[in-house]
Every structure is written in structure tokens, then in C-alpha cells.
């Protein structure tokens, strides 16, 4: 790598203030988008309409940022809004013709992403459509995901290893008599890269292996936790439900069908790097064209996956910046009150993880950044709400 390339790489990490600003601006828009989507999740609401509102909000809000910069910057949806219900695990973002609606007591998982200049913020949140506290197995599975996310936040820090996080989140899920869903990866995020090479595996098994990696200062991660009351083995039931794709930038093929060439040209212009929904394409033409694109590996699909009927799935995802002064979770939303049937009262190892601070004490007398009110408290104070009542979700920032 030349000196110029090294310099460019260095300029694009969190050591550059404008990069931190762009991540935080994307996160601020995304947190508001999540709040909007959540407010639209009501019994009898049409899922596709809610997904569309989430995407439109992100496009409009990002369009109002960095208007006066000399160089035009890309911005918008980094991952289309998905609403996956009950035993559906992920990636349900239906086409306009889909009639699926939400019902009372549905366990609703919202998953979405936003970027400014390729600096990506992602979030996922789980909410039950009911008044009052969430109880029973729905409370267990959400508490498992939330507590695992809180533990991951404290273990994804410079010097720690990815495999430590994998082992810890599985122990948390077991404490709630739930499983971490297999195949889910937490990725490092980089500019225009939503699935970086450094990953955290959700479950270790012989089929899925990832390279050992150590977290480093100035890195950004999307921590992705999916828990299930079932066996945690995702199943693809119907390929036709897949509507989210990402351009495989390293693949090329001369498409034969006119409709395929038309659609692929549209994808290459509108969505050259980030995942997109087929809803954004002309539907009839897209149906035909996407098949040939898929057959020649020009697109990477994000299939809709399911657990067994009757099982419940929860999803918590957040974006974390590994800053010099500690971990900064920039996307989240407060959970409903949970009353799980299980508890971590008898799990000293989990409680010890939750007691870890997320801020780093400075060595020496360097100039301290002005932080939020209360930053000067003992670093372990941030973990307090996650003590034995971790399952209540009170620790969401």
C-alpha cells in the first residue's frame, strides 16, 4: 500500500472528527426513523406501508444534510426497513402488492439502516403489540436479546477478541432458556461497507467459521443479536419472499434478457453499493430481471428466514463506535417493560460482564473531551441499570 493510500485510509476512521459527525448524524436520523416506524406499528396496519414510511423518512432527512458541501455526497437508506413478525427471523420487507398486516400481541422486529457519505448506522428493535408489561416467553426472548446486547457492548472493546463475545452471548441466551439464532454475524462497518471482514459469530458450529480477530480503537461495529424460543436454526421457506438484495461488485456477466439488463442498469445507477428493496424497482419487470441477475451471482440476496410456527424471535441491533474514551452506542430505543419468567440473579459471570463500564479512564493528563453531563462519574455507573433487573430493558440509552 502506498503512503497516499495509507493516509487516505487513516483519514476515514474515527480519528477524523467529520467521520464521527457523519456516523452520529446518520444515527440521529435513524433513531428518529425507528421511533416513527414504531408509532405506526398497530394492529391491522399494513406492513408494506410502514416499511415504505421508514425508507421515505430516511431519504428525506438525509437529503437535508450536508447540502452546502462542495463535493456531492451519497446518503440515504443503508438497509431497507424490515418488519418481521413472531417466528419470522429477519428481512421481511414486502412488495407493494403484499397484504400482510400486524395483529394484536404480535412480536414485531424492526430492522433498518441509514448512511451519510457511506458512513453507516444500523438498528434493530423488538416490540410487542400490547398494552402493559410484556410477560411469558415473549418477555424471556426479548430480555435474552437485550441482555446479550448489553454484554456485547461491554465486551466489544479494544484488546478483546471476537470469540469472547460469541461465547458470552450464548451463555446469556441460555440463562433465559433461549437460543442465539445461528448464522447471524455482527460486522465491522467501514465507509460504504456494511459487511466488513472483521465479524463476530453468533453461534460456533462446524459449518460456520470466522477468523479470530481483536477489536481496535477507532473501529465501528454493527452488533447484531437475534434470540429464539425455538432451536435457533433459521429456515428459508419461500424464495419468493426475498425482496432485499445487494449488488455483488466483484461479479460481472453479460445478461441475455432485455428486462434483466434494464433492471441491472437501474440497480447499478441507483444502488451501486448498499442493499436495496425490489419495491424500489418497477415490480413486473423486476420479477423477471432479478431472477437472471441472481442466477449469475450479480446480486447477493437477503432471504426471509423463519423459525418453527409458535416459536418467538427477538432482534436487537446497534451501532457502536470504539472511541479513544470508550464505546459509544449511537443507535438504540427504549424497550417496553418486561416481566420475564427467567432471571440472571444466579449468574455471577453475566452480572460481572454487565458491571463493566463502557468508558475508558484516561492515562496521564491529556486534555479531556467535554462529554455529556455525568460522564465524570465512576465508569461502572453506566452498567448499573443492567444489574439483576437487566431484563427490564431499562439500560437502553
Amino acid at each position: 500500500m502506498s503512503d497516499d493510500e495509507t493516509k487516505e485510509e487513516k483519514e476515514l476512521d474515527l480519528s477524523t472528527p467529520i467521520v464521527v459527525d457523519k456516523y452520529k448524524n446518520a444515527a440521529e436520523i435513524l433513531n428518529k426513523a425507528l421511533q416513527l416506524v414504531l408509532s405506526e406499528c398497530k394492529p391491522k396496519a399494513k406492513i408494506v406501508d410502514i416499511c415504505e414510511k421508514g425508507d421515505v423518512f430516511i431519504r428525506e432527512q438525509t437529503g437535508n444534510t450536508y447540502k452546502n458541501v462542495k463535493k456531492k455526497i451519497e446518503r440515504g437508506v443503508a438497509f431497507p426497513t424490515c418488519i418481521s413478525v413472531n417466528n419470522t427471523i429477519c428481512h421481511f420487507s414486502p412488495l407493494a402488492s403484499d397484504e400482510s398486516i400486524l395483529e394484536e400481541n404480535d412480536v414485531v422486529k424492526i430492522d433498518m439502516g441509514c448512511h451519510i457519505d457511506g458512513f453507516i448506522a444500523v438498528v434493530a428493535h423488538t416490540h410487542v403489540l400490547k398494552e402493559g408489561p410484556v410477560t411469558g416467553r415473549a418477555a424471556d426472548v426479548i430480555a435474552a436479546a437485550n441482555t446479550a446486547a448489553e454484554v456485547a457492548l461491554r465486551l466489544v472493546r479494544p484488546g478483546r477478541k471476537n470469540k469472547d463475545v460469541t461465547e458470552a452471548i450464548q451463555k446469556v441466551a441460555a440463562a433465559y432458556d433461549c437460543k442465539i439464532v445461528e448464522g447471524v454475524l455482527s460486522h465491522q462497518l467501514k465507509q460504504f461497507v456494511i459487511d466488513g471482514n472483521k465479524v463476530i459469530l453468533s453461534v460456533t458450529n462446524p459449518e460456520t467459521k470466522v477468523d479470530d480477530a481483536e477489536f481496535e480503537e477507532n473501529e465501528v461495529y454493527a452488533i447484531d443479536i437475534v434470540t429464539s424460543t425455538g432451536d435457533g436454526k433459521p429456515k428459508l421457506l419461500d424464495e419468493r419472499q426475498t425482496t432485499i438484495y445487494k449488488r455483488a461488485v466483484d461479479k460481472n456477466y453479460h445478461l441475455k434478457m432485455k428486462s434483466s439488463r434494464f433492471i441491472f442498469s437501474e440497480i447499478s445507477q441507483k444502488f451501486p453499493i448498499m442493499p436495496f428493496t425490489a419495491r424500489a424497482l418497477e415490480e413486473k419487470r423486476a420479477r423477471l430481471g432479478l431472477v437472471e441477475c441472481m442466477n449469475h451471482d450479480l446480486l447477493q440476496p437477503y432471504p426471509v428466514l423463519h423459525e418453527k410456527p409458535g416459536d418467538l424471535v427477538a432482534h436487537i441491533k446497534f451501532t457502536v463506535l470504539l472511541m479513544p474514551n470508550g464505546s459509544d452506542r449511537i443507535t438504540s430505543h427504549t424497550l417496553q417493560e418486561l416481566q420475564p419468567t427467567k432471571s440472571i440473579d444466579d449468574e455471577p459471570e453475566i452480572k460481572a460482564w454487565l458491571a463493566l463500564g463502557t468508558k475508558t479512564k484516561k492515562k496521564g493528563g491529556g486534555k479531556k473531551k467535554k462529554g455529556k453531563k455525568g460522564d465524570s462519574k465512576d465508569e461502572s455507573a453506566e452498567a448499573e441499570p443492567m444489574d439483576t433487573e437487566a431484563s427490564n430493558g431499562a439500560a437502553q440509552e
Side-chain angles (χ1 to χ4, degrees):
M1 189 184 271
S2 71
D3 286 348
D4 285 348
E5 286 176 310
T6 309
K7 185 168 178 285
E8 187 180 355
E9 176 109 348
K10 176 144 183 61
E11 284 171 356
L12 298 182
D13 73 10
L14 299 177
S15 60
T16 307
I18 188 66
V19 170
V20 178
D21 287 347
K22 286 175 180 174
Y23 273 118
K24 290 194 171 181
N25 286 337
E28 187 180 353
I29 291 168
L30 187 61
N31 288 332
K32 286 177 183 170
L34 173 57
Q35 197 152 356
L36 169 72
V37 168
L38 204 48
S39 72
E40 297 286 335
C41 288
K42 295 168 185 167
K44 306 305 175 190
K46 211 167 156 185
I47 291 176
V48 64
D49 292 347
I50 307 172
C51 292
E52 195 56 40
K53 281 178 182 171
D55 291 351
V56 167
F57 181 86
I58 289 171
R59 284 197 295 269
E60 286 176 351
Q61 295 295 310
T62 53
N64 292 329
T65 60
Y66 294 93
K67 277 181 166 177
N68 302 321
V69 290
K70 288 178 186 172
K71 183 183 150 203
K72 184 178 179 291
I73 66 169
E74 297 289 324
R75 58 229 160 156
V77 175
F79 198 85
T81 305
C82 301
I83 295 179
S84 308
V85 179
N86 298 331
N87 66 312
T88 303
I89 294 170
C90 57
H91 303 152
F92 190 72
S93 189
L95 299 175
S97 54
D98 191 285
E99 296 294 327
S100 303
I101 59 170
L102 298 176
E103 299 286 5
E104 189 81 31
N105 295 315
D106 275 350
V107 178
V108 178
K109 294 161 291 288
I110 302 162
D111 183 9
M112 55 203 310
C114 169
H115 81 97
I116 293 173
D117 197 19
F119 297 105
I120 300 162
V122 290
V123 73
H125 179 75
T126 303
H127 182 84
V128 182
L129 295 190
K130 74 183 293 280
E131 294 294 323
V134 179
T135 58
R137 292 299 278 155
D140 288 342
V141 77
I142 298 171
N146 185 56
T147 309
E150 291 289 341
V151 166
L153 173 65
R154 287 151 175 79
L155 295 183
V156 177
R157 59 200 303 169
R160 293 263 191 178
K161 301 279 198 328
N162 56 351
K163 63 183 179 186
D164 300 337
V165 182
T166 304
E167 290 163 9
I169 62 174
Q170 288 179 73
K171 285 177 182 172
V172 171
Y176 289 97
D177 195 20
C178 293
K179 291 273 175 64
I180 296 285
V181 172
E182 293 180 10
V184 178
L185 299 175
S186 295
H187 285 275
Q188 184 183 3
L189 299 172
K190 292 187 174 183
Q191 189 181 27
F192 291 110
V193 180
I194 201 166
D195 48 6
N197 291 333
K198 270 193 181 181
V199 298
I200 303 163
L201 195 58
S202 54
V203 177
T204 45
N205 60 38
E207 293 85 52
T208 320
K209 285 195 166 42
V210 299
D211 292 337
D212 286 345
E214 187 175 296
F215 307 116
E216 296 174 48
E217 200 172 281
N218 292 324
E219 290 180 337
V220 182
Y221 285 89
I223 305 302
D224 204 348
I225 309 285
V226 186
T227 51
S228 171
T229 60
D231 62 10
K233 295 182 188 297
K235 291 171 185 63
L236 173 63
L237 299 183
D238 184 354
E239 282 184 3
R240 289 172 302 178
Q241 283 189 318
T242 302
T243 62
I244 297 176
Y245 304 89
K246 183 163 78 80
R247 168 86 168 88
V249 289
D250 56 339
K251 300 279 195 239
N252 285 294
Y253 176 79
H254 185 68
L255 294 158
K256 305 290 188 285
M257 288 166 56
K258 189 176 178 182
S259 60
S260 305
R261 291 197 297 274
F262 176 87
I263 284 299
F264 191 64
S265 170
E266 190 181 356
I267 290 166
S268 298
Q269 284 169 25
K270 287 186 181 174
F271 314 107
I273 296 168
M274 298 292 178
F276 64 93
T277 166
R279 222 176 26 251
L281 307 170
E282 201 271 301
E283 195 166 323
K284 277 188 180 172
R285 203 176 250 180
R287 276 278 180 216
L288 287 167
L290 288 170
V291 172
E292 192 183 3
C293 292
M294 286 289 300
N295 288 344
H296 297 284
D297 300 325
L298 295 177
L299 299 175
Q300 172 193 326
Y302 289 82
V304 179
L305 301 173
H306 301 266
E307 264 283 22
K308 295 188 188 77
D311 290 334
L312 299 174
V313 177
H315 190 184
I316 302 280
K317 177 162 59 177
F318 62 88
T319 307
V320 61
L321 313 182
L322 302 191
M323 304 294 289
N325 65 340
S327 302
D328 190 356
R329 172 172 52 192
I330 57 172
T331 58
S332 67
H333 194 285
T334 307
L335 289 171
Q336 294 158 285
E337 185 188 344
L338 305 175
Q339 294 177 353
T341 68
K342 312 286 178 186
S343 124
I344 55 162
D345 286 352
D346 299 324
E347 302 286 346
E349 191 174 22
I350 295 173
K351 289 170 82 172
W353 287 324
L354 292 171
L356 294 170
T358 56
K359 297 297 175 200
T360 306
K361 284 183 177 171
K362 286 280 181 193
K363 290 175 188 169
K367 190 177 177 186
K368 192 178 176 187
K369 267 191 183 174
K370 196 173 178 185
K372 287 185 223 165
K373 193 176 177 187
D375 272 3
S376 58
K377 288 181 187 174
D378 185 298
E379 62 175 16
S380 65
E382 293 202 23
E384 285 300 318
M386 282 305 297
D387 198 9
T388 57
E389 294 303 313
S391 49
N392 276 342
Q396 292 290 353
E397 291 168 351

